[in-house]
Amino acid sequence: MFSRIARPTFCIANRSLTTSSQNNAKVAVLGASGGIGQPLSLLLKNSPLVGELSLFDIAHTPGVAADLSHIETRAHVTGYMGPDQLNAALKGCDVVVIPAGVPRKPGMTRDDLFNTNATIVATLADAVARNCPEAMICIIANPVNSTIPITSEVMKKYGVYNPNRVFGVTTLDIVRANAFVAELKGLDPARVNVPVIGGHAGKTIIPLISQATPKVEFPADQLSALTARIQDAGTEVVKAKAGAGSATLSMAYAGARFTFSVLDAMNGKEGVVECAYVRSEETECKYFSTPLLLGKHGIEKNLGLGKLSAFEENLVADAIGELKGSIKKGEDFVANMK
Ligand SMILES: NC(=O)c1ccc[n+]([C@@H]2O[C@H](COP(=O)([O-])OP(=O)(O)OC[C@H]3O[C@@H](n4cnc5c(N)ncnc54)[C@H](O)[C@@H]3O)[C@@H](O)[C@H]2O)c1
């Protein structure tokens, strides 16, 4: 029996892993030369789950691919650069991870990235729909609350939309919540699991501390401060980087963790659970993040919100308006695309 909050095993390269944990998945990273793309590609190259690693960007991919290809692991690396090579990069891909797009600078919200990133994500989703419509699509590019509706609408235009295969990667919020709770309680972070639901921007990020394992309790003021820190953790990094971008290394870790969970489940591993922002019937929002049981064909079962505390119920109520607005903005963008 799976647990809705079981933590997936995250295993980076281990050359002694048995062949049963290998597969020949072809994974593409679109935006592979970027701050997230490069360390994410490194982690994927180190995994026995990846047989082929296809790296696409509008710049620098030949260098990144040549560099990674010298690592003594089995994943075969190819680099593709520029729009002319996008189709070739995507042919036959099982999983497509998309960190392409501009990151925040201090003072910006994720929604401020919409104008630039909406076009980038729509263009890349269009290419996925034409070249590997069956692939699992993992979108990292912000604003995730809108880029998932955008991707879904583009896939619909081609008649290839499968809601069980389109994921907004919110794993970094879970990773941060685990790290912060462990720090406050003196626990081993590897043993902590805090589900985070809702979306991936400010108050739409809803950590469910009441469902954390192991069970933890905080006085009301500390719970509010911890929740606010998890919601604003991205901004903490943006400020600290002082104009040099947003979270890249922790995001690469989180993106790799999510991709490995998807690949593990595709490989037949049972009980793989991750939170992600997906098409959902769990609330009045069309898209919402909750824990998901993953399987061979993507989402096997949406495990829902679970039992919320009164504090968490208020957070959900507070997030709905903003989420609906971000979803509509994404849908309208595709409807008005030429
Ligand atoms: N989901 C999350 O939790 C999360 C966390 C951090 C950052 N992000 C988002 O991830 C995105 C990337 O961040 P970053 O720090 O890596 O930025 P970056 O600027 O360092 O890298 C972005 C890369 O995308 C490439 N790119 C731009 N347009 C492209 C296109 N049309 N096709 C392919 N590649 C293209 C750029 O050349 C660059 O290499 C941003 O939108 C950021 O907001 C999401």
Side-chain angles (χ1 to χ4, degrees):
M1 184 60 189
F2 59 84
S3 154
R4 67 184 294 284
I5 50 170
R7 180 159 169 165
T9 343
F10 178 54
C11 173
I12 300 191
N14 179 346
R15 297 174 77 212
S16 66
L17 278 178
T18 59
T19 47
S20 63
S21 64
Q22 299 190 350
N23 78 4
N24 286 316
K26 180 169 180 182
V27 180
V29 179
L30 311 184
S33 308
I36 295 167
Q38 290 202 37
L40 172 61
S41 301
L42 172 63
L43 295 172
L44 295 174
K45 167 65 178 144
N46 274 356
S47 171
L49 294 169
V50 180
E52 263 190 270
L53 188 57
S54 175
L55 306 180
F56 175 80
D57 202 298
I58 51 172
H60 308 307
T61 11
V64 176
D67 194 356
L68 285 176
S69 73
H70 291 181
I71 292 174
E72 51 173 0
T73 53
R74 60 191 276 275
H76 181 250
V77 184
T78 39
Y80 301 88
M81 188 167 71
D84 292 350
Q85 298 188 0
L86 179 55
N87 291 337
L90 288 169
K91 287 270 183 278
C93 282
D94 303 297
V95 178
V96 180
V97 191
I98 308 188
V102 289
R104 286 190 289 162
K105 290 202 159 55
M108 289 173 91
T109 67
R110 292 178 179 86
D111 192 53
D112 293 333
L113 305 172
F114 186 94
N115 288 340
T116 312
N117 289 357
T119 306
I120 293 174
V121 170
T123 308
L124 297 175
D126 187 281
V128 173
R130 287 183 288 101
N131 290 289
C132 52
E134 304 270 287
M136 305 288 173
I137 310 174
C138 310
I139 308 275
I140 293 171
N142 272 317
V144 166
N145 291 356
S146 300
T147 53
I148 299 312
I150 289 173
T151 304
S152 305
E153 292 304 307
V154 170
M155 302 300 282
K156 280 184 205 170
K157 279 194 169 182
Y158 284 92
V160 293
Y161 178 50
N162 182 341
N164 294 328
R165 291 171 181 258
V166 180
F167 304 94
V169 180
T170 59
T171 319
L172 183 52
D173 300 318
I174 290 89
V175 165
R176 286 169 168 155
N178 293 346
F180 299 166
V181 166
E183 192 181 344
L184 286 170
K185 291 293 182 191
L187 297 166
D188 174 2
R191 287 188 49 247
V192 177
N193 190 31
V194 182
V196 181
I197 64 167
H200 176 67
K203 68 179 185 183
T204 71
I205 297 169
I206 305 165
L208 302 182
I209 307 291
S210 73
Q211 294 182 18
T213 53
K215 194 165 174 44
V216 287
E217 277 180 16
F218 296 95
D221 56 340
Q222 213 183 355
L223 178 65
S224 286
L226 170 63
T227 301
R229 185 174 180 215
I230 295 165
Q231 292 176 326
D232 294 338
T235 307
E236 205 175 283
V237 179
V238 170
K239 277 190 189 150
K241 290 200 173 179
S246 59
T248 53
L249 303 172
S250 51
M251 182 60 238
Y253 168 88
R257 167 180 149 168
F258 186 76
T259 307
F260 295 153
S261 287
V262 167
L263 288 170
D264 271 337
M266 287 169 81
N267 259 355
K269 184 169 171 182
E270 293 191 356
V272 180
V273 175
E274 287 281 4
C275 294
Y277 181 70
V278 297
R279 182 80 177 86
S280 171
E281 308 290 337
E282 301 299 316
T283 67
E284 56 193 280
C285 293
K286 266 196 209 170
Y287 298 85
F288 202 87
S289 176
T290 43
L292 309 167
L293 177 67
L294 302 176
K296 287 189 174 172
H297 308 289
I299 301 172
E300 201 161 292
K301 188 168 191 248
N302 192 320
L303 303 179
L305 284 70
K307 188 172 165 9
L308 306 185
S309 68
F311 176 71
E312 292 158 356
E313 272 175 10
N314 282 336
L315 294 177
V316 171
D318 226 27
I320 299 284
E322 181 175 327
L323 268 176
K324 281 185 175 173
S326 302
I327 292 165
K328 182 167 184 322
K329 193 169 172 181
E331 291 180 339
D332 288 350
F333 176 82
V334 178
N336 296 324
M337 255 172 29
K338 298 215 172 68

